[in-house]
């Protein structure tokens, strides 16, 4: 038979074991919640390494590497929001209450679906009414042709046809799989997009500055944690994938409410 002192020691040891178990459980819960919250917000600091300088005619590349202590907790926009009035990689009022940032790969089938099926309605309801500005960031996740297409889009942007070129690429994209975008196809799509000087466009396809800018944009996206496209940020909230139109409407309405 155990003595009273022994029974008391056993009880204390049991309580310590239960306390340790609960501490471990609570710690795991806290770590899990931290991961979930972090996944909803992109980093608020610029990449550690600044990407190569872009050409003067590509304002989208300028400012992507600027360091700023901008945070949603201070009511400020995240550092990748450009708000440049001369930005060819954007549509909408530069002073719109909300900027919707979209990361795209021109060979991404889901980006094409969003462009064809959802984006036109969002432009009509939010962009044309001055509520939302859309700014595009290119990434090259699907190989060499993705990079070539990003260069081509930037070349079109030098003639103020970036968005038109992207729209033409996605309009011609297959229903499944990655688009085949060799050089002659890119030139043909530039013509469809209304790029006025095709000779200049073709020459710009070989501009190393545009290729460096496309690579820098991809690197910056990866450092921000963008690993899949399409990827969106409005305010301080992110959304991934070609979601239904009603999901995007709720997403933008929430950002507009927060911007008031």
């Amino acid at each position: 038979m155990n003595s009273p002192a022994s029974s008391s020691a056993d009880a204390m040891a049991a309580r310590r074991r239960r306390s340790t178990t609960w501490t471990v459980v609570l710690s795991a819960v806290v770590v899990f919640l931290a991961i979930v919250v972090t996944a909803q917000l992109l980093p608020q600091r610029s990449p550690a390494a600044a990407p190569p300088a872009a050409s003067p005619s590509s304002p989208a590349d300028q400012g992507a590497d600027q360091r700023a202590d901008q945070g949603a907790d201070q009511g400020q926009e995240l550092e990748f929001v450009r708000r440049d009035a001369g930005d060819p990689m954007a549509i909408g009022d530069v002073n719109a209450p909300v900027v919707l940032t979209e990361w795209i790969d021109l060979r991404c089938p889901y980006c094409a679906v969003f462009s064809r099926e959802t984006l036109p309605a969002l432009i009509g309801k939010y962009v044309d009414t001055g509520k939302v500005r859309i700014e595009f960031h290119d990434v090259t996740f699907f190989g060499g042709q993705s990079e070539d297409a990003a260069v081509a889009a930037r070349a079109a942007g030098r003639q103020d046809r970036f968005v038109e070129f992207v729209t033409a690429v996605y309009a011609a994209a297959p229903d499944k799989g990655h688009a085949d975008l060799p050089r002659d196809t890119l030139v043909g799509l530039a013509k469809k997009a209304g790029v006025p000087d095709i000779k200049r466009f073709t020459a710009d396809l070989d501009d190393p500055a545009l290729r460096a800018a496309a690579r820098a944009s991809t690197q910056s996206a990866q450092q921000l944690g963008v690993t899949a496209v399409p990827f969106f940020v409005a305010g301080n909230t992110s959304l991934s994938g070609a979601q239904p139109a009603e999901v995007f409407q709720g997403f933008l309405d929430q950002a507009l409410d927060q911007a008031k």
Side-chain angles (χ1 to χ4, degrees), residues 177-204:
H178 304 301
D180 185 25
L181 297 174
R183 187 184 183 96
D184 59 343
T185 298
L186 295 173
V187 173
L189 289 167
K191 293 176 181 178
K192 288 185 178 180
V195 174
D197 190 340
I198 295 299
K199 183 177 180 180
R200 177 189 174 190
F201 171 84
T202 303
D204 284 341

Side-chain angles (χ1 to χ4, degrees), residues 10-156:
D10 290 344
M12 291 178 65
R15 284 196 295 271
R16 283 197 297 271
R17 286 195 296 272
R18 288 195 297 270
S19 177
T20 299
T21 299
W22 276 108
T23 299
V24 171
V25 171
L26 289 173
S27 297
V29 170
V30 169
V31 170
F32 173 76
L33 289 175
I35 292 173
V36 171
V37 171
T38 301
Q40 299 301 315
L41 296 175
L42 292 178
Q44 314 239 333
R45 301 289 297 183
S46 57
S55 63
S57 58
S58 300
D61 308 321
Q62 305 163 4
D65 58 347
Q66 294 176 352
R67 297 176 178 277
D69 291 325
Q70 296 175 333
D73 57 332
Q74 299 175 342
Q76 297 176 328
E77 292 178 316
L78 299 177
E79 50 87 19
F80 48 76
V81 174
R82 300 186 296 256
R83 286 195 185 272
D84 187 328
D87 188 348
M89 298 173 66
I91 55 175
D93 187 346
V94 71
N95 295 314
V98 167
V99 172
L100 172 65
T101 303
E102 180 187 4
W103 283 264
I104 59 171
D105 185 309
L106 290 181
R107 298 186 68 222
C108 164
Y110 298 108
C111 298
V113 169
F114 172 78
S115 176
R116 293 193 303 255
E117 298 182 4
T118 306
L119 184 58
L122 297 182
I123 290 174
K125 184 172 183 178
Y126 296 98
V127 178
D128 292 345
T129 57
K131 297 177 181 178
V132 173
R133 172 179 174 85
I134 301 177
E135 297 182 349
F136 299 92
H137 290 255
D138 51 2
V139 297
T140 58
F141 289 163
F142 301 117
Q145 284 194 354
S146 287
E147 184 172 293
D148 293 343
V151 171
R154 288 171 178 270

